[in-house]
Amino acid sequence: MREGKGGVYYGGVFRMNETEDFRSLYPLNVTENVGLHIATNIYEGLVKLSQSDLSIIPCLAEKWNKSDDAKVWTFYLRKGVKFQNDPCFAEGKGRDVTANDFKYCFDKLCEAAVDNQQYGVTFKNRVEGANEYYQSTIDKKPLANGVPGIKVIDDYKLEITLKYPFAGFLNILTMPGCWVYPKEAIEKYGSDIRVNCVGTGPFQLKNLKEGDAVVLERNKNYWELDENGNQLPYLDALKTNFLKDKKSELYEFKKGNLEMMVRLPVEMIPNILDEFNHAKEGKARFDLKSVPAMGLDYYGFQDQSDVFKKKEVRQAFNYAINRENLVTYILLGDGIPATYGVVPPSFTGYDNKAVKGFSFKPDTAKKLMAKAGYPNGKGFPKITLEINSGGERNVQVAEAIQKMLKENLNVDIDINVMPMAEHMENFETGKALFWRTGWIADYPDPESFLTILYGKHVPEKMTERSYINTVRYKSARFDSLFELALRQLDPVKRFDLYRQADQVAIDDAAIMPIFYHENYRLVKLYVKNCETNAMEYRDFSRVYFTPRDENKKR
């Protein structure tokens, strides 16, 4: 390790673990957290989130302005930013990034393609001409100049015109679909770009063995300097392992083979908290950090299926489970019962508790099932609850809910555990009827949660993949309130419209909310600048280690 200006240190490999494999590292196909955690440090966009407070900060755009009606946005790009070195370039040397690269990537974001799952949550129905360009690619006659609302003014100036005023547009630009990558990488790697990453970020891909480990090394040509003139990043590398068992992960953390652990094995939380309390007495080996999270675990119903198309059935399932007991006895306090709305209680200015959610009312649940034509569960088909592998917690919660539904509704539920990629394939394509999933905010705004129930995300045919609104919920009332909120520039009025939409979805029992997340992190004491946040957003560009002997002195 070597010391930089201002007391920071260069060097070291930051090691962490994921219990699930990633699906893709290609920006347009990053839809799950594992891929997001890795790719966030490889790719960048015009703006990004602050690691500490999730505010919007400049990234490849050093500044921007918007018209008075918030429809026309102009971005001024930094000069001298280069793509990471890669064989896709002449002599393997990364070239300068210009506005033309963003135009290329934003046009691709609006193309109809099997590996583009970001269009629906980014530019669809928002950017002028995006929908028309998307349709033109379906028709195999793409518009000659790409998306009309995206214009290159010069090499370092980009203009984006929206269909309607939208004050939250910068949030959208932090999404993976809005990251920049070179045309040369697409031309060289094709579909293999999912594991051949070329971005502008602080780290670049060095080694990748799926299911084993991903290693990112320091980008020596990274553009950013810290406030003391040190070139970022400080770390030599990031290594992500893929141990599937949380107990094994904790063992590796305690042995000193991991710098950080996120999400604790529920049965070991009391011991960990006891150890942490001893640490406060001067025997510290790690730091424990926690914040209320912008995350929700929920069970999805296939709302358009014969089994769950009746609202009364979905409501009955919701009233039949005891969320408080699940959090207290199964999760051991690692979560907050989801007894309010779809939006978690971690957004400043959003009154989550004003949404009346589902409490435990088994008698009400029985009456609703009878009203739906299934008195005491008679005639209701045996169904399968599909959950993803990812630690014992998912299984423990599923088994508890299975028991509650049997006891309170007399319905029989099987549980099927499968790998994440197969699991997502099943519920996105409508094959699953009842499944476990979760949603983490893509950006710090309630819209990021409510968009998963927006009816215009649902394809016309059940045979088509539904990426975002996987339960295929449709409500004209919900959509109307949601669209009014998108167009509202006043944040107080906008949040009130979101709250009203939230209540509509809960009244319809569009999903079964289980618990809101809390983010727990165990971090070694020699790790600095590794703040936790409500999104578990991970930007390692400013993380550094202090020498172990110096840490002991402190």
Side-chain angles (χ1 to χ4, degrees), residues 282-498:
K283 304 173 184 177
R285 291 194 299 156
F286 58 83
D287 192 11
L288 173 63
K289 302 179 180 182
S290 67
V291 294
M294 295 178 185
L296 170 72
D297 256 48
Y298 69 93
Y299 283 7
F301 309 111
Q302 185 45 260
D303 288 5
Q304 295 186 20
S305 67
D306 290 339
V307 177
F308 289 113
K309 66 182 178 183
K310 290 183 179 180
K311 178 173 66 175
E312 291 81 7
V313 172
R314 304 194 301 267
Q315 291 172 330
F317 270 55
N318 269 287
Y319 281 122
I321 65 169
N322 190 325
R323 293 164 175 82
E324 286 82 1
N325 281 0
L326 285 170
V327 169
T328 301
Y329 300 113
I330 305 299
L331 301 179
L332 301 180
D334 185 16
I336 302 168
T339 54
Y340 301 106
V342 176
V343 181
S346 46
F347 291 93
T348 301
Y350 184 82
D351 191 358
N352 161 274
K353 293 184 179 180
V355 180
K356 185 179 180 182
F358 292 101
S359 54
F360 179 49
K361 296 181 179 179
D363 290 339
T364 300
K366 289 181 174 69
K367 291 176 183 177
L368 285 163
M369 281 296 277
K371 184 178 178 182
Y374 306 108
N376 195 33
K378 185 178 180 180
F380 193 80
K382 186 175 184 178
I383 59 174
T384 298
L385 168 60
E386 299 188 5
I387 67 173
N388 59 293
S389 54
E392 295 181 10
R393 181 169 74 169
N394 291 347
V395 175
Q396 292 168 346
V397 171
E399 289 175 346
I401 289 177
Q402 177 190 45
K403 184 178 179 182
M404 290 176 184
L405 293 175
K406 179 62 177 177
E407 289 177 350
N408 299 316
L409 299 181
N410 195 32
V411 298
D412 293 310
I413 307 288
D414 285 333
I415 298 173
N416 184 23
V417 184
M418 60 185 67
M420 176 62 89
E422 181 183 345
H423 180 55
M424 292 178 69
E425 175 73 17
N426 272 12
F427 66 70
E428 287 177 353
T429 55
K431 297 184 182 74
L433 292 178
F434 187 38
W435 66 91
R436 178 266 160 201
T437 188
W439 193 260
I440 307 293
D442 291 312
Y443 40 85
D445 191 282
E447 179 213 348
S448 183
F449 282 86
L450 296 174
T451 193
I452 67 175
L453 298 174
Y454 185 39
K456 290 186 179 178
H457 291 323
V458 180
E460 293 182 7
K461 300 176 182 177
M462 277 294 293
T463 54
E464 295 181 56
R465 187 187 297 269
S466 189
Y467 295 119
I468 306 163
N469 187 344
T470 54
V471 298
R472 302 178 191 246
Y473 170 69
K474 288 185 177 182
S475 163
R477 177 63 177 158
F478 176 93
D479 289 353
S480 175
L481 289 165
F482 184 69
E483 290 170 357
L484 285 172
L486 293 179
R487 290 158 174 75
Q488 177 55 250
L489 299 182
D490 183 305
V492 175
K493 293 179 180 177
R494 183 160 57 93
F495 276 27
D496 185 60
L497 288 166
Y498 283 147

Side-chain angles (χ1 to χ4, degrees), residues 110-352:
C110 300
E111 287 183 4
V114 67
D115 59 354
N116 178 9
Q117 298 191 44
Q118 285 282 318
Y119 169 65
V121 290
T122 53
F123 285 8
K124 180 182 179 181
N125 298 323
R126 288 193 176 105
V127 173
E128 189 68 46
N131 294 15
E132 291 78 5
Y133 183 72
Y134 185 85
Q135 185 60 47
S136 76
T137 64
I138 292 177
D139 298 336
K140 309 298 183 184
K141 297 177 182 178
L143 301 177
N145 296 316
V147 179
I150 303 169
K151 295 179 181 178
V152 174
I153 307 303
D154 60 40
D155 281 352
Y156 297 97
K157 187 176 179 181
L158 185 74
E159 183 182 276
I160 303 176
T161 302
L162 307 183
K163 295 179 67 175
Y164 55 83
F166 182 35
F169 183 55
L170 291 178
N171 286 321
I172 301 301
L173 293 177
T174 67
M175 297 273 287
C178 298
W179 293 338
V180 71
Y181 47 88
K183 181 179 181 180
E184 293 92 330
I186 296 291
E187 292 173 342
K188 179 175 178 62
Y189 298 117
S191 61
D192 287 336
I193 198 169
R194 66 176 287 274
V195 291
N196 288 278
C197 311
V198 187
T200 64
F203 296 90
Q204 60 194 72
L205 186 62
K206 181 179 182 181
N207 293 316
L208 185 154
K209 185 176 180 182
E210 294 193 54
D212 181 20
V214 174
V215 178
L216 309 183
E217 64 180 346
R218 182 174 186 265
N219 177 8
K220 297 178 181 179
N221 299 316
Y222 189 54
W223 59 269
E224 190 174 9
L225 306 178
D226 71 8
E227 54 276 6
N228 294 308
N230 296 301
Q231 186 188 26
L232 298 176
Y234 306 121
L235 294 167
D236 286 336
L238 307 176
K239 182 179 182 181
T240 302
N241 296 311
F242 294 94
L243 289 171
K244 307 305 181 189
D245 179 62
K246 294 299 288 186
K247 291 180 183 176
S248 299
E249 181 181 351
L250 180 60
Y251 178 70
E252 291 298 314
F253 176 82
K254 288 188 171 184
K255 278 177 61 180
N257 294 331
L258 298 172
E259 271 63 53
M260 179 177 75
M261 180 174 179
V262 177
R263 217 184 85 185
L264 310 180
V266 293
E267 66 275 15
M268 302 183 78
I269 287 176
N271 291 334
I272 294 169
L273 291 177
D274 184 57
E275 184 176 347
F276 181 66
N277 288 330
H278 282 298
K280 292 180 179 178
E281 301 171 6
K283 304 173 184 177
R285 291 194 299 156
F286 58 83
D287 192 11
L288 173 63
K289 302 179 180 182
S290 67
V291 294
M294 295 178 185
L296 170 72
D297 256 48
Y298 69 93
Y299 283 7
F301 309 111
Q302 185 45 260
D303 288 5
Q304 295 186 20
S305 67
D306 290 339
V307 177
F308 289 113
K309 66 182 178 183
K310 290 183 179 180
K311 178 173 66 175
E312 291 81 7
V313 172
R314 304 194 301 267
Q315 291 172 330
F317 270 55
N318 269 287
Y319 281 122
I321 65 169
N322 190 325
R323 293 164 175 82
E324 286 82 1
N325 281 0
L326 285 170
V327 169
T328 301
Y329 300 113
I330 305 299
L331 301 179
L332 301 180
D334 185 16
I336 302 168
T339 54
Y340 301 106
V342 176
V343 181
S346 46
F347 291 93
T348 301
Y350 184 82
D351 191 358
N352 161 274

Side-chain angles (χ1 to χ4, degrees), residues 523-538:
V523 183
K524 296 295 185 181
L525 293 179
Y526 54 82
V527 176
K528 305 301 177 184
N529 283 356
C530 191
E531 302 98 333
T532 189
N533 55 66
M535 282 176 52
E536 193 51 46
Y537 172 72
R538 302 177 189 176

